[in-house]
Amino acid sequence: MKNIVILTGAGISAESGIATFRGPGGLWEGHRVEDVCTPGALARDPALVHRFYDLRRAALETVAPNAAHAALARLDREWAGGLLIVTQNVDDLHERAGARRMLHMHGALRSALCAACGERREWRDALPPGSACAGCGARALRPDIVFFGEIPYQMERIEAALAEADLFVSIGTSGAVYPAAGFVRMAQAYGAATLELNLERSEGSAWFDATRLGAAGVLVPAWVDEVLG
Ligand code: NAD
């Protein structure tokens, strides 16, 4: 085995105290997904959408990476083969744990996107609607979050990595959000073995060669120990 691709979702950050996407009642931090995570919602009520992500961004100050993030960062440091950690998460806990071979396919809380020129830049404070882009001057900055109906970042790089993968591992994701939910089948079609680590069986479980059930903070360090021998 040489090349590993890992997909992570909200479940890997749950033990750090960040709520998952579909919490109690199918809500994300008390909101319907359609009200905070679609281009239509942003157009209809920019104040609500910006404030929602301002709160999520501010909450990052109060959380820290957990044992699962730390284990993947260790894998990144010590694994001599190919590795790509693709996260659906918009928190920054993978990079704060020290992972480098990673990308955010759904954007990042600590980033602002200019809807006019497409420039993305690091953003740590609140982001009120109408904030000006330092690049083009347009008052068009929005949270750098890939909404439903928008195309995730770096799909070509992800597909290239899946094509080369010997092992695809999915951690803490419900398998409900596409295209990420389709990566397991893509990896399999290219010949990779597939493993799921999740608290409970997910919508995608049937597609994996193997599923291990439990908390990411326990399962991920154990799996990394196995891989690194
Ligand atoms: P999801 O909430 O739909 O699914 C989370 C999965 O993790 C569930 O299957 C759940 O059983 C599992 N899980 C919960 N606690 C776990 C634990 N301790 N250990 C292992 N597994 C655990 O999340 P998703 O599939 O990532 O949904 C995708 C969307 O949610 C993404 O687009 C992402 O941007 C957004 N989101 C991100 C964050 C974040 O950045 N931390 C938080 C909420 C939502």
Side-chain angles (χ1 to χ4, degrees), residues 8-15 18-23 28 37 56 87-93 106-107 109 145-146 148 171-177 197-203 214-217 219:
T8 68
I12 198 169
S13 296
E15 289 158 80
I18 301 181
T20 57
F21 205 36
R22 290 178 183 76
W28 185 9
C37 206
R56 308 280 79 73
T87 190
Q88 299 170 86
N89 293 344
V90 293
D91 67 52
D92 59 353
L93 296 182
H106 288 164
L109 286 169
I145 304 292
V146 177
F148 285 99
I171 303 171
T173 173
S174 61
V177 178
L197 309 178
N198 209 47
L199 196 58
E200 57 195 7
R201 286 185 68 79
S202 73
E203 287 185 33
L219 292 184

Side-chain angles (χ1 to χ4, degrees), residues 165-177:
D166 302 301
L167 176 65
F168 171 76
V169 185
S170 170
I171 303 171
T173 173
S174 61
V177 178

